Structures are given as structure tokens and as C-alpha cells.
Amino acid sequence: SHPIRWESLSMAVDVAPLAIPQTPDVVHSPWSMFWWRMRHNPKAVIGSLIVVFLLAVAIIAPLIAPKDPADGELADTLASPGSAYALGADKNGRDILSRLIYGTRTALAGALMVVVISEVIGVPIGIWAAYRGGWVDETVTRVWDMLLAFPPLLLAFAVVAAFGPGLPKSAFALGILYVPFIARVVRSVTLVQKEMAYTEAARALGYGQGRIIFRHILPNCISPIIVVSSIDFAYALLDL
């Protein structure tokens, strides 16, 4: 009876793994993990909703503005808030609410230009300098230190004096000066990520630098980039 019992037990052990459903391993990409963290962070969701609301106001400004922001009635100079003017009128009789709504376009567009210019230039330079290392990293870091020592408003005034007034020119000048802020953060993250085990494994498998940077290093830089960009966006609104 013992041989039969041991044979039955061995057959049960062999069949047991086949009876248990196998759950496939789900591999989450860095981008999906980023969006998952974004959705489960209430502060990030609230901040995103505020940004989306301001963008919506800027886009549909002609539809929601009660009056023409440039049209003023001298008879309504400094009018108090009421049915005609929700937030009152300025010294030229122009509706303050309409000017505030249209002003959202200029403020957001200028600050967005500054942030985009700094990211487009600073993120690739920061990753490249940290990934290459050596004299490349040292040279780029010294250039950043020179830019950080230059007052942003002073450069903006110099650009306006040289090329004339204009939002794009001022935004471009500030965008160049904001490059070191985002580049230094990206460089710091890249220095850590390039020494991680998965990066070393990717090199051992023969992956090229482009794939390692865009598939492994850059996704891990997204969260710091968003944080620095939000701070730069606020400072750009003040500087412009």
C-alpha cells in the first residue's frame, strides 16, 4: 500500500501546478508608474486641475469675457463693481474682469515660453553632461555657474534695450537664464540613475546610449522636471 500511496502523492504534486492558474507577471513601464503616482497624489491632481482651468480660461477668453478689454467708456471711469462691471472699471473705463481674463493669455503664454525654452535646452544638456562625465561635465557645470551669477532681470532689460520690447524676446532671455536650474537637477538625477543596476544591465546587453537614456534614465527624471518646471513657471510670471 505504501508504494501506491507514494505514487499517488507524487502524481498529485505533479498535477498541482497545472491546476493552479498562472498569473502572468505584469511589467509596468516608468511612464505608467509616473501616471499612477500622479493619479494617487491629491495635491498633484488639484494643482493639475488649477492649471487646466487657467488654460481653459485663456483659450476661451473671447467667449467668456463680458466686454472688449480694450474698449473703455470715460463716463465709467473707476466705476464700482456692479451689474455693468463685475469687478469694476479702471481709470480709462475698461472692464477689469475682461482685462483679467485676457491677461491670462499673456501671462501664461510668456511663462510657458520661458519654461519650454529652459526644458528644451536644459534637459538634454543635463543628461548629456552627466552621462558623459569628465571634462564635458566640468565645462558645462562651469557655464551654468556663470549663468547663475547673472541677474535674470538685468539680462531681460539688456535684451529689451538691444532688440526692442516684446514678450517673445523677454521670454527667450529668461528661458536661457532658467536653463541652469533645470539642467542641474536633471544632471543630479542622471548621475544616480546611470549607476543603477538596470542601467548597468542594459549596457551589458549591448543597448545603445540613446535607448538607455530615453528608456531608462529620462523617465526617472520626469518627476523632478515637473517640480522644477512648476517653480520656474511661478518665477517666470513674476519676472515677466
Side-chain angles (χ1 to χ4, degrees):
S1 61
H2 293 289
I4 297 177
R5 181 183 298 176
W6 284 111
E7 185 179 354
S8 303
L9 289 175
S10 63
M11 290 178 61
V13 172
D14 294 338
V15 174
L18 301 177
I20 300 175
Q22 298 291 329
T23 11
D25 295 334
V26 180
V27 179
H28 296 283
S29 66
W31 296 103
S32 62
M33 292 299 297
F34 163 73
W35 289 116
W36 183 86
R37 295 190 190 99
M38 184 77 175
R39 291 194 302 270
H40 291 77
N41 189 338
K43 296 180 180 179
V45 172
I46 294 173
S48 300
L49 292 177
I50 294 175
V51 172
V52 170
F53 171 74
L54 293 176
L55 290 175
V57 170
I59 293 173
I60 62 175
L63 301 178
I64 61 177
K67 298 179 181 293
D68 187 345
D71 186 16
E73 295 290 340
L74 293 180
D76 298 330
T77 300
L78 300 178
S80 302
S83 57
Y85 299 96
L87 297 180
D90 62 4
K91 62 181 181 180
N92 294 319
R94 297 171 296 190
D95 183 37
I96 294 179
L97 177 60
S98 299
R99 294 181 64 80
L100 184 63
I101 292 175
Y102 273 89
T104 307
R105 286 183 162 185
T106 304
L108 293 182
L112 187 61
M113 288 174 60
V114 173
V115 173
V116 170
I117 291 172
S118 64
E119 288 183 355
V120 169
I121 300 176
V123 172
I125 292 179
I127 294 178
W128 176 66
Y131 197 84
R132 291 295 301 272
W135 67 270
V136 175
D137 188 22
E138 188 69 22
T139 303
V140 173
T141 305
R142 297 290 79 80
V143 173
W144 293 341
D145 293 339
M146 292 172 56
L147 288 176
L148 288 174
F150 205 89
L153 287 179
L154 184 59
L155 178 61
F157 293 153
V159 171
V160 170
F163 301 102
L167 180 63
K169 300 170 185 176
S170 301
F172 179 78
L174 289 176
I176 296 298
L177 288 180
Y178 279 30
V179 166
F181 298 105
I182 185 69
R184 290 170 73 93
V185 174
V186 173
R187 173 183 174 272
S188 301
V189 177
T190 304
L191 288 175
V192 176
Q193 294 299 323
K194 77 173 186 176
E195 303 297 337
M196 299 295 286
Y198 61 84
T199 307
E200 296 292 340
R203 292 196 194 98
L205 291 173
Y207 293 159
Q209 292 185 3
R211 177 168 181 172
I212 295 175
I213 290 174
F214 288 102
R215 293 290 299 274
H216 301 285
I217 295 179
L218 182 58
N220 289 285
C221 298
I222 296 298
S223 297
I225 289 174
I226 292 177
V227 173
V228 176
S229 298
S230 61
I231 297 174
D232 289 346
F233 192 90
Y235 278 109
L237 286 174
L238 297 176
D239 289 339
L240 287 173

